[in-house]
Amino acid sequence: MFAKRIIGLLPSPTMMLDQRAKELRRQGIEIINLSAGEPDYDTPTSIKEAAIHAIEAGFTHYTQPEGIFELREAIAHKFKKDNNISYDPSQIIVGAGSKQILYSAFQVLCDKNDEVLVPTPVYSSYIEQIKLAEGKPVCIKLKSPFKLTAADVERAITPKTKILLLNTPASPTGAIIEKAELQKIAKLVIKHDLWVISDEIYEKIIYTGKHISIAAINKLVKEKTLTVNGVSKAFAMTGWRIGYAGGPKNVIRAMTTLQSQMTSNANSIAQMAALGSLKSGKGTREAMNNSYIKRRTFLLDALADIPQLSFVAPEGAFYFFVSLEKVLGRKYKTAPEWCEALLKEEKVAVVPGEAFLYPNYFRLSFTKPTVTLVEAVKRIKRFVEKNS
Ligand code: PMP
């Protein structure tokens, strides 16, 4: 039979739901799919051109396992300019999406039964990846407005705690961890000699407040932090599969060794496209962000007009995490039942909170044009009114 580690492995719930919505569409059933965690925009032309140029120039061979030097140099420059973190290119690794980078990070840092602190609601891949590394996820259940505090972290630390996972801005809540709180968290990290894996993939999609990287707080915490990022969300490049991380040299070296045995290297052409995105993608990124701002503004009003639902305004990312607490218990008892019925009756796909280890909520992704969101909210409102 299969290995134990695979028997217990759960598939990515958001990807499954997205697939299901796409399958229904193939059957001719028109679905408004607000489940996917990816921009609806096409990759900007200048980035595609960088890839076409790479193909035509014959840049089609294996690269260094950690990624081509020019890209790592551009990433080091980005970390300095945007995040005020100084990394040498030898402290950077490029992988097949930040998901693979996160997987490698857990494999490298997490030993059997090591505890990893995971604030929830959370992007569920972390949990499965920690289990694959034989670690023990320890969830820190946050309450609305879902902002992690140092006190939350301190309460969860035990002698077995090895890693603290941070995701700011977060999926699915959009919450940002403020600088003052990060400073306090950094102190705990040093005091308890923890590692930090800081997933900052949504850093460029911000509406209120400011993104701060924990590695920028001070040198000591930088030495214990792996700063994870990628081009998927910021540059509408989810399919290209390029993510990266900066961190202490020995961690990057170990991840590189693992990568050399696992994938050899990230796709050479996509690495060139990612280099193009860091050099010339800013304009289109800002245009995309402007439309997210408008969609968010629309949803703040439109969802507030459904009094049975409640939510906090997302500070970043492109999701609303909506509470069903006032709605459940009558016709539908759980968020998965409610979401399933919404899909069946109103043809709108959203993700139940269970996918983020947080029942009684759903995540709505606003990576669709406002006209589509107008129709989606109309249907959600009708569904809520009918069933409460
Ligand atoms: N981290 C978070 C919080 C995410 O939401 C996602 C994508 N859904 C990823 C990492 C992975 O992104 P990618 O592998 O495309 O870089």
Side-chain angles (χ1 to χ4, degrees):
M1 224 5 224
F2 297 138
K4 277 197 202 77
R5 78 177 76 84
I6 291 304
I7 293 168
L9 188 65
L10 299 175
S12 163
T14 41
M15 292 192 99
M16 295 266 291
L17 224 120
D18 191 41
Q19 285 311 312
R20 179 129 181 265
K22 282 177 182 147
E23 182 50 42
L24 287 170
R25 187 165 295 163
R26 257 193 300 278
Q27 293 169 17
I29 304 166
E30 217 29 69
I31 297 288
I32 300 182
N33 184 2
L34 306 183
S35 70
E38 63 174 343
D40 50 327
Y41 293 97
D42 202 5
T43 304
T45 306
S46 63
I47 299 173
K48 289 184 194 166
E49 280 167 357
I52 292 165
H53 180 73
I55 295 172
E56 286 175 352
F59 197 75
T60 54
H61 299 268
Y62 290 129
T63 72
Q64 296 94 311
E66 67 271 40
I68 56 172
F69 181 81
E70 295 83 344
L71 178 55
R72 286 181 292 116
E73 191 178 45
I75 292 167
H77 180 71
K78 173 248 166 302
F79 273 129
K80 182 70 203 158
K81 186 167 70 61
D82 296 355
N83 310 102
N84 196 27
I85 316 172
S86 300
Y87 290 126
D88 184 78
S90 64
Q91 293 179 280
I92 306 289
I93 183 167
V94 177
S98 64
K99 197 179 250 185
Q100 190 228 321
I101 292 286
L102 289 161
Y103 177 87
S104 297
F106 290 122
Q107 289 292 322
V108 162
L109 294 176
C110 192
D111 239 326
K112 199 169 176 152
N113 297 328
D114 282 344
E115 291 182 358
V116 184
L117 303 183
V118 185
T120 59
V122 72
Y123 173 57
S124 65
S125 292
Y126 304 131
I127 304 288
E128 298 309 307
Q129 293 189 351
I130 293 163
K131 288 191 204 153
L132 283 171
E134 297 186 278
K136 192 175 157 215
V138 174
C139 293
I140 300 177
K141 190 171 178 193
L142 304 177
K143 289 207 182 88
S144 177
F146 309 111
K147 285 169 93 73
L148 180 72
T149 66
D152 295 326
V153 176
E154 189 158 33
R155 264 194 304 275
I157 291 175
T158 75
K160 286 192 178 159
T161 309
K162 177 90 173 280
I163 303 172
L164 166 65
L165 185 106
L166 299 180
N167 177 211
T168 180
S171 167
T173 62
I176 289 174
I177 310 174
E178 316 289 339
K179 185 172 180 187
E181 214 55 51
L182 279 176
Q183 284 168 331
K184 290 188 216 157
I185 293 172
K187 275 193 189 142
L188 289 173
V189 168
I190 304 306
K191 182 174 161 199
H192 295 275
D193 194 27
L194 308 180
W195 288 103
V196 180
I197 297 179
S198 181
D199 179 350
E200 303 181 11
I201 188 102
Y202 292 104
E203 68 156 338
K204 295 293 180 205
I205 305 167
I206 292 223
Y207 311 103
T208 56
K210 191 172 183 300
H211 171 72
I212 304 286
S213 297
I214 190 165
I217 299 283
N218 62 47
K219 260 198 162 144
L220 287 175
V221 76
K222 182 187 163 208
E223 279 309 302
K224 298 293 295 184
T225 300
L226 189 75
T227 310
V228 179
N229 211 321
V231 295
S232 287
K233 317 280 176 176
F235 299 105
M237 291 179 69
T238 46
W240 297 81
R241 309 309 303 130
I242 294 289
Y244 55 82
K249 244 183 208 167
N250 55 353
V251 177
I252 297 296
R253 211 177 295 129
M255 287 171 70
T256 301
T257 306
L258 177 64
Q259 188 152 289
S260 75
Q261 295 294 8
M262 195 162 54
T263 60
S264 290
N265 56 263
N267 176 303
S268 61
I269 298 149
Q271 288 190 57
M272 279 302 191
L275 182 58
S277 75
L278 293 175
K279 286 192 171 156
S280 67
K282 192 164 173 253
T284 20
R285 193 190 70 220
E286 283 169 359
M288 288 192 279
N289 281 2
N290 284 336
S291 65
Y292 297 144
I293 292 170
K294 288 192 193 123
R295 296 169 185 184
R296 175 181 173 274
T297 307
F298 162 72
L299 285 171
L300 283 174
D301 279 347
L303 290 173
D305 200 34
I306 312 177
Q308 296 91 331
L309 302 179
S310 52
F311 58 91
V312 281
E315 297 175 294
F318 32 57
Y319 310 109
F320 275 74
F321 197 53
V322 182
S323 170
L324 286 170
E325 269 152 359
K326 287 187 226 147
V327 174
L328 296 178
R330 295 185 189 99
K331 188 157 176 196
Y332 304 107
K333 302 274 180 285
T334 66
E337 281 175 32
W338 189 91
C339 293
E340 182 66 34
L342 178 73
L343 181 61
K344 256 200 188 140
E345 289 182 28
E346 293 289 355
K347 313 286 181 278
V348 175
V350 293
V351 187
E354 275 75 357
F356 311 99
L357 281 84
Y358 213 90
N360 305 334
Y361 277 73
F362 70 86
R363 187 188 81 174
L364 174 158
S365 169
F366 51 95
T367 53
K368 286 283 182 284
T370 306
V371 279
T372 311
L373 297 174
V374 170
E375 178 60 25
V377 176
K378 196 174 101 192
R379 294 185 194 185
I380 292 172
K381 189 167 196 254
R382 186 164 60 202
F383 183 75
V384 167
E385 283 168 358
K386 203 166 87 187
N387 295 297
S388 48

